Amino acid sequence: MQVMLQHLAHCRSGDKGNTVNIAVFAYEPALYPLLVEQLSAERVKAFYQGAITGEVLRYPVDGLHAINFVAHGALGGGVSRSLALDQYGKAMSAALLRFPIDVPEALMGELRNHPERKPA
């Protein structure tokens, strides 16, 4: 079943100049392999449909069950130069929570706030 990333993970972000940093943390260790498999730098950049003009770098952090993305050319020239206030790092990380992730039936019980979640 395909669900939004928000049911598997949460995000933290930061921005500096024209670069945004988005860290994605799996809610449960069992969900982390799905993130590693499906959240590639290329797919994350494509998800933003042209809002990111530069390179996206991906740094898995296995010990924290997290992936850190650094996106260059992501803030319309920089927060202080852009009139698009919705391009701050926080808005970009919130948008990423809508990224579609395929979740096998066996892991549905690990999801958070999803109607298909199996009771514990």
Side-chain angles (χ1 to χ4, degrees):
M1 171 181 276
Q2 196 171 72
V3 302
M4 289 186 288
L5 177 62
Q6 70 182 11
H7 299 295
L8 289 86
H10 64 97
C11 295
R12 299 288 295 169
S13 65
D15 48 65
K16 186 74 168 178
N18 201 24
T19 301
V20 66
N21 177 78
I22 301 172
V24 179
F25 296 87
Y27 286 134
E28 300 295 335
L31 299 171
Y32 178 64
L34 297 176
L35 303 182
V36 171
E37 174 189 318
Q38 298 179 50
L39 281 174
S40 67
E42 296 79 17
R43 288 186 72 200
V44 167
K45 182 175 180 175
F47 177 78
Y48 287 104
Q49 302 177 3
I52 298 174
T53 60
E55 183 179 21
V56 175
L57 303 171
R58 179 179 107 142
Y59 301 97
V61 186
D62 298 339
L64 295 176
H65 306 111
I67 304 173
N68 187 45
F69 294 94
V70 178
H72 300 277
L75 298 172
V79 173
S80 62
R81 293 182 57 189
S82 176
L83 297 177
L85 296 178
D86 60 341
Q87 288 189 11
Y88 284 98
K90 287 183 191 314
M92 293 192 77
S93 68
L96 188 60
L97 291 173
R98 292 180 290 124
F99 190 96
I101 300 286
D102 293 320
V103 178
E105 183 68 31
L107 291 176
M108 293 302 287
E110 303 294 329
L111 301 179
R112 294 224 180 143
N113 301 316
H114 191 272
E116 295 291 324
R117 181 179 176 164
K118 306 282 189 239

